[in-house]
Amino acid sequence: MNQKQNKTTLQILLEILFTSTKLGLTSFGGPVAHLAYFKDEYIDRRKWLNDKTYADLIALCQFLPGPASSQVGISIGILRGGILGGITSFIGFTLPSVIVLVVFALLYQNFSLADAGFIHSLKVVAAAVVLHALIGLGQKLTPDKSRKAIAVVAALVMLLYPSAWIQIVIILAAGLLGLSWFKDKAESNIEPFAVSISKKTGILSLTILGILLVSLPIITNVVNNSLLNIFDIFFRVGSLVFGGGHVVLPMIERELVPQGLLSPDEFLAGYGMAQAVPGPLFTFSSYLGTMMEGVAGAVVATIGIFLPSFLLIIGALPFLSELRKRASFQGILMGVNASVVGILLAAFYDPVVKSSIFDGADFALGTILFALLNIWKVPAWLIVILGVIGGYLLNLLGF
């Protein structure tokens, strides 16, 4: 099926790079759309995987923190061309949006874009997109009263005590509640997952992840280096974000804005712009890194936020088949996912609404954009364009 027996390693890697770059240039619409593009290209057209293996990969990545669509792409690259194939697949899928967001950040800094009218429109776009994502996540991850209660309590705690450490405590507490409350709701007919990575390699990868998570905050306290600090922040976020790209918003915001590393306006402008580009939403980190430390900051932030995905994929693949069958593991993730909805709900109020909706005109524009997203299923990149045009028209009319 994989048709690679007669190809050299270089040919396989170039094939992965070409295919993933094509996807990185054309995959608009967020994680769900990315998975549809992947199926069309990798499974239906190129026959690199069968449907069952692809479904298993998606299930794996839904169980892990980090960007699910990027992790699926990395996994396909690994199965096709080893670890180098995973890296190549990541570069092709991610680099186009990284370049666009770095250029946007440089323009923002050098041409005083902060005062441009379309920047405020991007913030209104961000409000509509986050609300749309929040409703979708809520329907999927909090289908019953118990999980809704976890989400509400998580939101209240985050609003009253807004800090990155409180957020981690909420996630851990929700996992423990999930272990106790939701074991009976676990699925029992999960298909096994076959993979060629050894358990020894998986343990080594997870060990590296654990060492970095523990040691980086200690090192940054001893060594006063801005790039190291950026790497520490984004590595922790990439290791702890459950729920996909939109959930990265509150976690990074709590790490950057209260410390004065970015203003709320700078933060939301980049988040709005990230909706307009193809590829993973986690490339928002490239914009943030550029705003803090230029191109070097972009490179460090991007590597920092995506590196945990590589380590988790390599570490989880050998063990996932067994873990997915365990009711306790499924219960923990149900609780964690419910808390993610609450964390995003708190972030929807602060900083999203507080920094974007100032008057009736903003509210009207945001409502229209949300309706286009939620009811008429207009893609996010088109919502950005319509939001900028709508903001311009409102300005012309004197609103």
Side-chain angles (χ1 to χ4, degrees), residues 67-89:
S69 61
S70 294
Q71 289 170 332
V72 170
I74 292 168
S75 300
I76 292 172
I78 289 175
L79 294 179
R80 180 70 178 170
I83 292 178
L84 279 179
I87 295 171
T88 303
S89 176

Side-chain angles (χ1 to χ4, degrees), residues 30-152:
V32 175
H34 297 165
L35 296 177
Y37 285 116
F38 287 174
K39 183 180 186 303
D40 178 67
E41 185 67 32
Y42 290 132
I43 288 82
D44 297 339
R45 296 185 60 191
R46 296 187 176 267
K47 311 293 185 186
W48 288 0
L49 304 171
N50 58 36
D51 286 317
K52 178 187 176 301
T53 303
Y54 185 58
D56 285 343
L57 285 179
I58 293 174
L60 179 157
C61 298
Q62 295 292 347
F63 271 95
L64 298 175
S69 61
S70 294
Q71 289 170 332
V72 170
I74 292 168
S75 300
I76 292 172
I78 289 175
L79 294 179
R80 180 70 178 170
I83 292 178
L84 279 179
I87 295 171
T88 303
S89 176
F90 162 75
I91 290 172
F93 184 58
T94 308
L95 190 58
S97 57
V98 168
I99 292 172
V100 172
L101 289 169
V102 168
V103 170
F104 176 70
L106 293 173
L107 291 173
Y108 189 103
Q109 291 175 319
N110 295 319
F111 292 93
S112 300
L113 292 186
D115 298 324
F118 79 90
I119 295 296
H120 182 68
S121 298
L122 288 176
K123 298 175 198 171
V124 178
V125 167
V129 170
V130 171
L131 180 58
H132 175 66
L134 176 60
I135 291 174
L137 283 172
Q139 291 172 341
K140 180 180 178 181
L141 302 180
T142 58
D144 52 52
K145 291 181 180 179
S146 298
R147 278 176 275 187
K148 283 182 173 67
I150 291 176
V152 169

